[in-house]
């Protein structure tokens, strides 16, 4: 049994890590404000605001593993300085968004990162990738080899707070005909979705195994059309579809990838994103990443619908509203 401290643990991935670690018989503490959803049952709750001084005082002690999820370099620096001397191994959950370029399919962990955001700079969401690079840099500066840097690609599964991976299975499950589906007109668009539960298991396994250095934790590379077909089949949808030529997106005011009025998972055309969802997964597979089939992820999303956090919110977090979809289909006719 290991003593594990999660810096976070009250939201999606962090909570999944905490629950799996508890299920495996480890002793788990989570440090967060606890403002969103409370602490996982069975974990020791350490309520602290990391934007204020002394946030780590109540976490003093000996830890076998710290799992850090922050996006703020100021948090990463203060935590590693306060807790590192009492911690055997450290995992920083970074992101493939930390990479400088997304144009080359098959790029591995040695690819260049964005210029790191400094710990004194104020964090904004626009600087997410640079901030994750900054957190990595600060972690390594303090821990050297005794740190694992996990770089997830797109995370999917039940409870996805962004709605990117839930939109297509839930749209097909809704059954309303026809379903507007992307027609990428021969452009090679790809998607790599790693299930949140598989990612959590990998983070714990690699962390407790004492792995160090960077590793891409990404899903299997799949053509966009196969991903849409998998969502359709998981929902058992046999109705009509309306193929939507993706070259129309800009003039129709339809966004790529995520957010309201978008086609989720559809990357912008062109070479800049040709490698975005085609990152090398070789190292993670060598280190024990086990991935369930995407069809299972989609089936579980459908089964969990209505019990997902945010399910009662107005409209989809990512994707088209029913009215917008109907308008677009009308314009195709
Ligand atoms: N979604 C994706 O596709 C994707 C892709 C690549 C990488 N990632 C990375 O994967 C991780 C996702 O983590 P997650 O799902 O658990 O959500 P998250 O929103 O990144 O979690 C942040 C955690 O930090 C805590 N926190 C935030 N501000 C705090 C403060 N001032 N003081 C104390 N605690 C604070 C939050 O809890 P409280 O609000 O309760 O304080 C929460 O538990 C992140 O590292 C993200 O960058 C995500």
């Amino acid at each position: 049994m290991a003593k594990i401290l999660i810096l976070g643990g009250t939201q999606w991935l962090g909570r999944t890590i905490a629950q799996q670690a508890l299920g495996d018989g480890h002793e788990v503490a989570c440090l967060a404000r606890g403002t969103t959803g409370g602490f996982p049952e069975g974990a020791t709750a350490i309520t602290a605001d990391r934007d204020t001084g002394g946030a780590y005082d109540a976490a003093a002690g000996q830890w076998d593993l710290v799992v850090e999820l922050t996006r703020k370099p100021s948090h990463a620096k203060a935590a590693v300085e306060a807790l590192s001397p009492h911690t055997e191994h450290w995992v920083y959950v970074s992101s493939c968004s930390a990479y400088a370029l997304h144009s080359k399919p098959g790029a591995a962990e040695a690819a260049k990162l964005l210029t790191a955001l400094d710990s004194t700079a104020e964090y904004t969401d626009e600087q997410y990738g640079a901030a994750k690079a900054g957190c990595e840099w600060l972690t390594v500066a303090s821990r050297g080899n005794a740190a694992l840097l996990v770089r997830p690609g797109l995370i999917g599964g039940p409870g996805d707070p962004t709605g990117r991976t839930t939109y297509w299975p839930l749209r097909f499950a809704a059954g309303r005909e026809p379903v507007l589906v992307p027609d990428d007109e021969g452009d090679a668009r790809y998607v790599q979705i790693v299930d949140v539960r598989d990612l959590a298991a990998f983070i714990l396994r690699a962390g407790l195994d004492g792995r160090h250095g960077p590793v891409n934790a990404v899903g299997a590379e799949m053509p966009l059309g196969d991903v849409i077909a998998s969502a359709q089949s998981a929902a058992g949808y046999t109705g009509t579809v309306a193929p939507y030529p993706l070259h129309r997106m800009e003039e129709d005011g339809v966004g790529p990838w995520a957010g309201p009025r978008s086609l989720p998972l559809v990357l912008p055309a062109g070479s800049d994103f040709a490698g975005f969802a085609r990152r090398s997964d070789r190292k993670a597979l060598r280190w024990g990443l086990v991935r369930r089939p995407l069809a299972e992820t989609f089936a579980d999303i459908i089964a969990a619908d209505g019990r997902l956090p945010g399910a009662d919110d107005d409209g989809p977090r990512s994707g088209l509203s029913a009215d917008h979809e109907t308008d677009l289909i009308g314009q195709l006719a």
Side-chain angles (χ1 to χ4, degrees):
M1 189 191 69
K3 275 190 74 180
I4 301 175
L5 173 65
I6 301 175
L7 298 174
T10 54
Q11 298 201 30
W12 191 40
L13 174 62
R15 179 179 295 277
T16 310
I17 296 170
Q19 288 166 340
Q20 286 192 8
L22 288 163
D24 291 344
H26 299 298
E27 196 182 312
V28 177
C30 298
L31 185 148
R33 295 164 302 184
T35 48
T36 42
F39 289 85
E41 203 182 319
T44 302
I46 304 176
T47 307
D49 182 348
R50 303 178 67 181
D51 290 327
T52 61
Y56 307 97
D57 293 355
Q62 206 63 36
W63 301 102
D64 296 310
L65 185 67
V66 166
V67 179
E68 164 69 287
L69 292 133
T70 193
R71 55 196 69 193
K72 290 189 178 176
S74 58
H75 289 181
K77 182 170 191 285
V80 85
E81 282 175 2
L83 302 172
S84 188
H86 318 288
T87 303
E88 188 64 28
H89 203 52
W90 196 279
V91 181
Y92 175 59
V93 180
S94 183
S95 170
C96 285
S97 296
Y99 286 114
L101 296 172
H102 303 284
S103 49
K104 191 172 155 229
E109 287 79 1
K112 192 169 178 277
L113 298 188
L114 289 165
T115 303
L117 188 71
D118 189 72
S119 63
T120 56
E122 192 163 340
Y123 171 83
T124 62
D125 283 343
E126 289 67 45
Q127 293 167 306
Y128 173 71
K132 294 301 264 187
C135 292
E136 280 197 21
W137 192 88
L138 290 157
T139 305
V140 172
S142 175
R143 299 275 312 175
N145 252 353
L148 169 66
L149 310 169
V150 177
R151 296 177 184 152
L154 175 64
I155 307 171
D160 176 359
T162 72
R164 287 174 294 192
T165 62
T166 52
Y167 176 78
W168 293 107
L170 295 182
R171 173 63 192 90
F172 283 114
R176 201 176 62 247
E177 289 191 59
V179 177
L180 182 143
V181 294
D183 171 5
D184 73 2
E185 304 167 300
D187 284 346
R189 285 184 169 85
Y190 287 82
V191 182
Q192 276 181 315
I193 298 175
V194 64
D195 188 291
V196 66
R197 296 160 292 182
D198 299 336
L199 175 61
F202 175 70
I203 288 168
L204 284 169
R205 176 174 178 172
L208 292 169
D209 283 350
R211 301 281 187 186
H212 56 81
V215 59
N216 297 333
V218 293
E221 180 182 310
M222 285 175 73
L224 174 64
D226 292 359
V227 172
I228 303 296
S230 176
Q232 177 169 356
S233 135
Y237 179 85
T238 52
T240 51
V241 297
Y244 175 77
L246 294 182
H247 73 264
R248 298 179 56 132
M249 287 173 71
E250 199 171 333
E251 81 183 67
D252 286 346
V254 176
W257 190 241
R261 302 182 66 83
S262 75
L263 286 181
L265 310 183
V266 174
L267 286 167
S271 57
D272 284 1
F273 289 95
F276 184 83
R278 306 186 72 184
R279 293 253 164 224
S280 169
D281 56 8
R282 291 172 65 172
K283 193 172 183 182
L285 294 177
R286 257 197 341 267
W287 284 5
L289 172 65
V290 177
R291 298 180 296 210
R292 72 196 67 209
L294 184 59
E296 193 179 317
T297 301
F298 282 159
D300 290 348
I301 286 171
I302 293 166
D305 183 31
R307 289 181 286 117
L308 299 180
D312 297 333
D313 289 0
D314 290 334
R317 302 219 172 149
S318 288
L320 305 174
S321 66
D323 287 350
H324 191 189
E325 185 186 24
T326 304
D327 275 359
L328 292 171
I329 292 170
Q331 286 167 37
L332 289 176

